[in-house]
Amino acid sequence: MKTTTRFITAVALLAASCFAHAEVVVVAAAKSPVTSLTSDQVSQIFLGKLNALPDGSAAVPLDQAEGVAARNEFYAKVTGKDATQIKSYRAKLIFTGKGQPPKEVADNAEMKKQLAGNPGGIGYIDKSAVDGSVKVLLAP
């Protein structure tokens, strides 16, 4: 009986963790002229290796705060790096004077607000937070 209870508990916890894992999408303001980006383009923008969007305008990446699940998922899917690797990479950029990390925002709502006033802005939010104020450029 104990084995059955443990098994059911384990399955329930596994199912709960699957639902807690949100799907992240890369977005820009609804009025942005950019209609899509590749995973490689997004990776290069957020790693500071590319500073322009396909239309030639300046790319302004916006990050969610450290520790936010969406941030960890975004970097894992788009760059293949985890939070520790990103932090180390950015520290090297700052130390060598070759770059600065993207501006951080608190959450999905703040991301959408910041993107609305920034034509070159690019960020990421939970797919469930997409509305008319943003358009999806990539669903990694």
Side-chain angles (χ1 to χ4, degrees):
M1 192 66 157
K2 284 186 179 182
T3 305
T4 303
T5 303
R6 286 182 185 161
F7 176 74
I8 291 171
T9 302
V11 170
L13 289 173
L14 181 62
S17 70
C18 290
F19 290 117
H21 187 66
E23 188 175 348
V24 174
V25 292
V26 178
V27 293
K31 295 181 180 181
S32 171
V34 179
T35 56
S36 68
L37 292 171
T38 67
S39 190
D40 188 53
Q41 288 171 316
V42 173
S43 177
Q44 288 186 11
I45 289 169
F46 277 85
L47 293 176
K49 297 177 180 180
L50 181 64
N51 58 9
L53 296 169
D55 69 345
S57 63
V60 182
L62 299 171
D63 242 342
Q64 294 224 20
E66 277 189 54
V68 173
R71 179 176 171 142
N72 296 337
E73 182 181 345
F74 167 77
Y75 281 105
K77 285 185 173 181
V78 174
T79 68
K81 298 180 185 306
D82 64 25
T84 303
Q85 291 170 314
I86 290 297
K87 196 171 195 170
S88 175
Y89 175 82
R90 293 229 171 105
K92 285 180 190 176
L93 283 181
I94 294 167
F95 182 74
T96 60
K98 294 182 180 178
Q100 291 293 316
K103 177 182 175 182
E104 285 188 9
V105 299
D107 55 25
N108 293 326
E110 180 67 18
M111 179 68 76
K112 293 188 291 187
K113 181 180 175 184
Q114 291 292 320
L115 289 173
N118 192 337
I122 176 177
Y124 52 90
I125 59 174
D126 293 331
K127 185 177 181 178
S128 63
V130 172
D131 60 21
S133 68
V134 294
K135 65 175 152 184
V136 176
L137 302 179
L138 175 69

